[in-house]
Amino acid sequence: MAEEKRSLNFIEQLIEEDLKNDYKKEDLQFRFPPEPNGYLHIGHASSICLNFGLGEKYNAPVNLRFDDTNPIKEEQEYVDAIKSDVLWLGFKWAKECYASDYFQQLYDWAVMMIKNGDAYVD
């Protein structure tokens, strides 16, 4: 029986287009960016499977990048629960990082964009 070819979803279409336009496959990387302010729900599970599935399909690393931009609501309990859930779903991440690791860089970019006239503060 002939194997049925599966069509690409819109994200895969974008990736394939980038790869055709000289983006190097070895430069691909993906991320799952949960906010550590609660437990994951079914939508998170879908996102985990999508992002880690793309990593598997393209043999690319997937980073677990916590979006820790609201420290008042974020606790280690949620970070640990999220990590446990990702592992339970059968995935392993390449790097664990936090949005707060990049706050200074993001701030510097914002200042640069304002000085260049590409952004403003109201």
Side-chain angles (χ1 to χ4, degrees):
M1 178 150 85
E3 186 177 323
E4 185 176 329
K5 188 172 179 174
R6 182 181 71 82
S7 63
L8 301 177
N9 66 44
F10 76 97
I11 297 172
E12 292 168 325
Q13 289 173 7
L14 292 169
I15 293 167
E16 291 296 329
E17 188 65 31
D18 284 345
L19 291 172
K20 287 178 190 172
N21 291 318
D22 297 324
Y23 192 89
K24 296 178 183 151
K25 189 171 184 180
E26 55 271 9
D27 289 339
L28 283 176
Q29 57 180 306
F30 302 94
R31 55 93 175 112
F32 173 62
E35 290 184 51
N37 61 2
Y39 299 106
L40 299 185
H41 53 69
I42 192 69
H44 290 106
S46 177
S47 179
I48 290 167
C49 292
L50 170 69
N51 290 295
F52 282 93
L54 289 169
E56 288 178 353
K57 177 177 180 168
Y58 291 98
N59 194 30
V62 182
N63 296 323
L64 183 57
R65 200 235 40 229
F66 289 98
D67 190 4
D68 60 335
T69 55
N70 190 0
I72 294 171
K73 291 188 174 187
E74 295 151 3
E75 297 180 25
Q76 188 62 42
E77 173 185 352
Y78 300 131
V79 170
D80 294 342
I82 290 167
K83 290 163 56 173
S84 177
D85 289 346
V86 170
L87 292 171
W88 183 81
L89 286 168
F91 300 109
K92 293 184 178 151
W93 52 93
K95 289 191 319 187
E96 179 180 328
C97 45
Y98 296 79
S100 60
D101 295 341
Y102 305 96
F103 281 174
Q104 187 61 51
Q105 179 65 59
L106 294 169
Y107 178 83
D108 293 344
W109 283 335
V111 169
M112 180 187 70
M113 290 171 61
I114 292 166
K115 287 180 177 179
N116 290 341
D118 297 322
Y120 70 94
V121 177
D122 185 352

